[in-house]
Amino acid sequence: MAQETEYQFGVRWNVNGLATGTHIQDILLDFKGEPSAQNTMLPVTQYVRNGRNEIQFYAWPVPFAEGHEIRLSMEYWESDQNPNTEAKTAFEIMIKPEEEDVEPEVVSRDPNAPLQPVENSIRWEDHVGHFRLHVPFQNRQQMPTWCWEEGDVLKDNDATRDSLTREYRRLHALFAAGDNDALLAAASTRTKELARASGTPEDYVRDRFSYSMYFDNPDIYQLDDFPEEPMTLNLGADNRVAWLTTKGVSEPIRFNNVSQEGRASYVSLYFTRRDGQWEICR
């Protein structure tokens, strides 16, 4: 049995005037589609496995301007510490993307940290319209085996997309019915694993992910109709995690804000499939 996690982990990025997309194990963590100044850290303990891991960081618009800079780091802290003030930097990558034939540079590294960069495999690649920074790293800390490591390997085809669409539609019906308990029961694996990763009680995590805010304020939040057109299937974590999107990175279940036209809150769900059954993993 895996021992309890000693450190918790986060990914931090700092950019000026760029749009970005941040992934770990090819699972989307964050998307900011408009160029902006960003200094953001997100917890990722629940996405870090034993051995080799990878961050994928997308940046645009292209061409980059003079003065643009990307800094990306992995942070770690003990469970009783405040990550906002007490996190330590395991390593930091820096790149100035406007320079021709530029290479990412490891500008700092803590040799005692549990996370170590695989320096000869860090890459900055042109993907036509955006660039992608690949940052592989080794984790030397013993971790649990997470649900996204154990799901069935999924095929990128219409059958997988259509099957997952049916599961989204089933959950959309639960949202329409305001059945918060059934929705949280469907996400019980997510609750258990996030509680373990963060060192907090399951009841706290369950309350944090409760959808009652939407159901208790129908004058503010209105569930949008389920999309009828075929959606895009996205796969991550070695094709063991799946989610659907409509236009861009928009997710199919959303609540429109009645008081602010054009504003909406999207329900982010990441699925695995085991023995033919879909399960909310993250």
Side-chain angles (χ1 to χ4, degrees):
M1 181 177 178
Q3 65 187 44
E4 290 298 321
T5 303
E6 181 179 356
Y7 290 109
Q8 296 175 19
F9 305 127
V11 59
R12 179 186 296 278
W13 63 94
N14 192 322
V15 303
N16 53 341
L18 295 174
T20 63
T22 309
H23 297 66
I24 184 168
Q25 328 294 12
D26 291 308
I27 301 170
L28 178 63
L29 294 175
D30 183 85
F31 181 86
K32 292 183 172 66
E34 295 295 329
S36 63
Q38 303 171 39
N39 183 5
T40 304
M41 184 173 77
L42 291 177
V44 294
T45 309
Q46 66 272 24
Y47 291 106
V48 175
R49 60 188 166 198
N50 295 313
R52 188 173 173 122
N53 297 263
E54 185 174 292
I55 295 287
Q56 299 88 24
F57 187 81
Y58 298 72
W60 69 96
V62 178
F64 297 105
E66 183 178 355
H68 278 154
E69 181 177 274
I70 298 169
R71 288 182 175 265
L72 186 141
S73 64
M74 292 301 299
E75 310 286 318
Y76 69 106
W77 61 91
E78 296 182 26
S79 59
D80 60 349
Q81 292 180 315
N82 182 341
N84 296 314
T85 58
E86 298 178 277
K88 298 177 182 178
T89 298
F91 63 87
E92 183 178 34
I93 312 296
M94 188 271 287
I95 188 167
K96 295 184 177 180
E98 86 281 0
E99 297 178 4
E100 190 173 350
D101 299 323
V102 66
E103 294 290 337
E105 178 184 359
V106 179
V107 293
S108 71
R109 184 175 72 86
D110 177 356
N112 297 315
L115 308 179
Q116 294 293 315
V118 184
E119 294 193 40
N120 60 358
S121 297
I122 297 172
R123 308 190 312 278
W124 175 246
E125 297 181 339
D126 186 350
H127 285 268
V128 184
H130 69 271
F131 275 70
R132 187 186 307 169
L133 177 63
H134 297 262
V135 182
F137 61 93
Q138 289 286 345
N139 169 34
R140 304 188 294 201
Q141 174 173 290
Q142 185 67 30
M143 301 296 287
T145 300
W146 304 114
C147 56
W148 54 265
E149 299 180 75
E150 297 187 306
D152 299 338
V153 176
L154 302 166
K155 294 182 179 180
D156 188 0
N157 59 23
D158 290 350
T160 303
R161 181 199 64 195
D162 293 346
S163 174
L164 185 54
T165 298
R166 290 190 290 272
E167 179 62 13
Y168 269 94
R169 191 180 294 276
R170 184 184 76 85
L171 294 172
H172 186 272
L174 295 178
F175 277 104
D179 197 338
N180 194 53
D181 290 341
L183 289 164
L184 293 178
S188 60
T189 296
R190 178 183 66 186
T191 298
K192 291 175 183 176
E193 294 200 352
L194 292 185
R196 182 169 188 179
S198 61
T200 53
E202 287 187 25
D203 286 347
Y204 173 83
V205 175
R206 189 178 297 108
D207 184 65
R208 179 178 153 219
F209 278 88
S210 171
Y211 301 105
S212 58
M213 175 184 72
Y214 301 119
F215 305 141
D216 294 344
N217 297 280
D219 55 327
I220 300 176
Y221 298 106
Q222 185 176 65
L223 181 65
D224 201 13
D225 293 338
F226 192 76
E228 293 300 327
E229 70 279 4
M231 291 174 280
T232 300
L233 173 67
N234 305 271
L235 298 176
D238 302 317
N239 286 9
R240 296 181 187 273
V241 171
W243 68 100
L244 297 179
T245 50
T246 53
K247 183 183 297 184
V249 298
S250 297
E251 291 137 323
I253 299 178
R254 74 176 193 179
F255 283 84
N256 296 320
N257 191 315
V258 176
S259 62
Q260 300 180 48
E261 186 176 353
R263 293 290 299 274
S265 298
Y266 292 88
V267 178
S268 295
L269 301 170
Y270 296 97
F271 294 85
T272 56
R273 189 168 64 187
R274 291 194 248 193
D275 300 322
Q277 298 296 315
W278 290 106
E279 177 179 71
I280 298 173
C281 177
R282 291 290 180 267

